[in-house]
Amino acid sequence: MAEKMAMAKAINESLRRALDADPKVLVMGEDVGKLGGVFRVTDGLQKDFGESRVIDTPLAESGIVGTAIGLALRGYRPVVEIQFDGFVFPAYDQIVTQLAKMHARSLGKVKLPVVVRIPYGGGIGAVEHHSESPEALFAHVAGLKVVSPSNSSDAYWMMQQAIQSDDPVIYFEPKRRYWDKAEVDPEAIPAPLHKARVVREGTDLTLAAYGPMVKLCQEAAAAAAEEGRSLEVLDLRSVSPLDFDAVQASVEKTRHLVVVHEAPVFFGSGAEIAARITERCFYHLEAPVLRVGGYHAPYPPARLEEEYLPDLDRVLDAVDRSLAY
Amino acid sequence: MTVESSAARKPRRTAAGKAGTTGSKTGATGTKRTTRTTRSTAKKSTDPDLVQLLTPQGERVENAEYDGYVAGITPEELRGLYRDMVLTRRFDAEATALQRQGELGLWASLLGQEAAQIGSGRATRPDDYVFPTYREHGVAWCRGVDPTNLLGMFRGVNNGGWDPNGNNFHLYTIVIGSQALHATGYAMGVAKDGADSAVIAYFGDGASSQGDVAESFTFSAVYNAPVVFFCQNNQWAISEPTEKQTRVPLYQRAQGYGFPGVRVDGNDVLACLAVTKWALERARNGEGPTLVEAYTYRMGAHTTSDDPTRYRGDEERLAWEAKDPILRLHRYLEASNHADEGFFAELEAESEALGRRVREAVRAMPDPDRFALFENVYADGHALVDEERAQFAAYQASFADEGGH
């Protein structure tokens, strides 16, 4: 029975379902218990599942991920919350040197089904370290999977799939979309976790995005339609692995690609997409793959973030440039 | 909505922080002793900070706190500890030689730390879980891991080499201190499961400076996790002495976290056995974590890449050689008539056979299949890995097409 719910609520319901279904699933993090998380994503879970399933941890990110690895080695399936994007770095060592590699090091004997939830991205007027998009830093590491839903339904289902995965999954939650509502059908048959989806069909140019930028791209496509341009919008959903087949299929149709993300453009996921699509679709492309994203600068103070973040005009400018070739 | 199962919530263990909050110098307060025995012939240990049951001269000394944990030890078991240490040292020497011969890329020798490792390793039960660093060859021996398996990663044919669940002995961890958190998390899981096993994490004095070790102390104390932190203070973190890591004796760090810390003579296998048994028993009884600092010495280099002559003098090494862990048990076995010439001769032959076996096994170790590169990167697979494996296969096949090899 489908129900309209905000993304934060959808993740909450998804965690609830997972905790209910499997006694080995744990939720861990700073403030996830009584408070329900600073965004209330875990609201009410500790009340219903108890302190040993929904665990308030000490303020130590490396400790959270490191102990989650130990719990996973013992057969648990921890879902840990890093409170904000910029706070993941104390845990980066555990994620990169341990979580990502232990399955390979053990020649497959050890599985680490750990989900690391990271509310990420800007647009909410936060102070520094609360608005970053570090997904490329994780996608670069073999052994990790990196996903980011753009809507409530995906948030719900991708969380189910991430928890069921035997691989560590970095689950980036676009915090500025937490309060956007959409239908969630808990009985639906979800798309595979790493499959991209065309969210708007078009013929003139492809906009590829994930997480918080999908909505922006949909708005851009709507605005472009008023100017008589038909843009296709692709929600990548997964950054690693990335569904290049879907991007290729779209580009073979539209012959133009603009990738949009909040993270800095330099060495970002857009660079990887541009390179691979150029390899795959060189003779189909009528313009170089263009990228719209953040600048090579620290994420700015809140009063400047609107300048930093991709907005409608920057996306449409890129569309104009691409189509002008 | 179901509430979590009662089994997962049942407080199997006693209240957290009960033991060790008052803490004597050895931190042993608040803990029950199962047995207490003293030997009328034994001398008293002179250093109250250091738990010692065997002096460097091989004399048994009395320790009211810990004697009970080795009270029933038989001559056969004593000979077993001796054999473990001798064979471990022989294995280590062979590995060092193999590195010098170019058969291994690197080796981290345990020379001098045999008592700390064998004593603590023999204190564990099969259902306990061990998280080593990369020097715990003696502990691996005690856990039944074939020593030749330890050499794969040093030879460069794998990054692990054994099934961690085969002997409840986790893979070696190279990043300093990371495994202390894995041990703590695993112990949290043990507690959740209501199991009565314990977990032991090994690390060195250098690791005590790492945030992960501090965080593992915090987590283990907060969740009263059944974990023993076994710090082998071998005095040197590559070239940096313990004084560069801490201003207080390491075992005293535990007090700040609310659990006991004990310093044991790390060159005394009996004391290491007793103290570790005590700490593991505390964990099993729900009394939470313990820090054991085994005060010992790395007689060799940090690894075969290191040159200790640049940062420490002979005098120090000679002073520690006089405290050699194997020598002191040898003296005790002889003085107490627990071992005869035949035993030592037989062990010598066994050592040589082990050395030979290790040498042959290393030389016979096959290089991994080239496609192993792409194996087990992910449990559930990954499109990019599949794509790159296919490219790699095509590249390899291109040599065959050209009539190459």
Side-chain angles (χ1 to χ4, degrees), chain A residues 7 118-121 148-151 172-178 211-213:
Chain A
M7 182 188 278
I118 309 178
Y120 85 121
S148 179
S150 69
N151 60 70
F172 279 104
E173 299 171 6
K175 63 171 90 79
R176 71 155 113 174
R177 306 296 180 215
Y178 269 152
M213 291 288 98

Side-chain angles (χ1 to χ4, degrees), chain A residues 5-321:
Chain A
M5 61 177 85
M7 182 188 278
K9 174 73 174 163
I11 298 168
N12 180 282
E13 286 296 328
S14 190
L15 291 172
R16 185 173 287 278
R17 178 174 175 162
L19 284 162
D20 209 18
D22 183 354
K24 293 295 184 186
V25 172
L26 305 172
V27 169
M28 303 168 62
E30 298 159 13
D31 306 305
V32 299
K34 278 211 177 75
L35 182 67
V38 291
F39 292 104
R40 310 293 182 267
V41 170
T42 54
D43 191 27
L45 297 179
Q46 190 182 68
K47 188 171 145 282
D48 292 335
F49 294 96
E51 288 180 20
S52 85
R53 301 283 311 281
V54 180
I55 304 166
D56 273 321
T57 65
L59 265 78
E61 284 77 9
S62 190
I64 293 168
V65 174
T67 53
I69 291 171
L71 281 157
L73 292 172
R74 181 72 192 180
Y76 287 85
R77 304 183 89 86
V79 182
V80 309
E81 176 179 301
I82 300 294
Q83 206 158 64
F84 284 94
D85 36 67
F87 303 166
V88 73
F89 298 107
Y92 196 64
D93 167 45
Q94 281 287 346
I95 293 172
V96 172
T97 71
Q98 308 299 318
L99 186 61
K101 296 189 168 71
M102 217 176 269
H103 179 68
R105 292 189 63 225
S106 70
L107 305 177
K109 303 287 188 200
V110 159
K111 290 183 173 59
L112 291 180
V114 177
V115 178
V116 182
R117 292 181 41 232
I118 309 178
Y120 85 121
I124 63 163
V127 294
E128 68 172 342
H129 312 306
H130 289 68
S131 305
E132 296 166 15
S133 297
E135 63 272 16
L137 297 173
F138 295 89
H140 196 63
V141 179
L144 300 177
K145 291 186 172 175
V146 181
V147 302
S148 179
S150 69
N151 60 70
S152 299
S153 178
D154 272 350
Y156 181 92
W157 282 111
M158 288 165 74
M159 178 58 75
Q160 292 293 305
Q161 293 162 324
I163 292 170
Q164 283 155 19
S165 169
D166 280 335
D167 287 313
V169 178
I170 314 296
Y171 187 97
F172 279 104
E173 299 171 6
K175 63 171 90 79
R176 71 155 113 174
R177 306 296 180 215
Y178 269 152
W179 303 280
D180 289 1
K181 287 189 173 180
E183 293 259 300
V184 175
D185 179 1
E187 273 133 52
I189 297 166
L193 179 57
H194 303 291
K195 197 143 183 56
R197 184 176 53 236
V198 176
V199 293
R200 181 188 175 111
E201 300 238 13
T203 52
D204 295 341
L205 180 144
T206 302
L207 288 174
Y210 50 85
M213 291 288 98
V214 173
K215 187 179 178 184
L216 179 71
C217 288
Q218 286 174 295
E219 288 165 359
E226 288 176 15
E227 298 166 5
R229 282 173 173 167
S230 168
L231 305 193
E232 181 146 299
V233 179
L234 202 56
D235 182 353
L236 296 169
R237 300 172 74 247
S238 173
V239 180
S240 176
L242 204 144
D243 188 355
F244 287 104
D245 291 345
V247 186
Q248 179 175 352
S250 182
V251 168
E252 284 178 359
K253 184 168 70 166
T254 67
R255 297 172 174 263
H256 296 267
L257 174 63
V258 174
V259 185
V260 185
H261 53 61
E262 286 191 21
V265 165
F266 189 64
F267 272 87
S269 47
E272 180 60 42
I273 295 167
R276 284 193 189 257
I277 289 306
T278 304
E279 283 181 38
R280 286 185 176 215
C281 310
F282 188 70
Y283 292 109
H284 286 93
L285 284 167
E286 290 183 2
V289 179
L290 299 182
R291 293 165 287 160
V292 180
Y295 301 108
H296 193 56
Y299 194 90
R303 296 295 175 98
L304 276 179
E305 69 177 339
E306 293 308 324
E307 309 298 325
Y308 175 92
L309 290 168
D311 60 10
L312 201 60
D313 287 332
R314 278 175 61 197
V315 175
L316 291 172
D317 279 355
V319 169
D320 288 346
R321 275 190 291 137

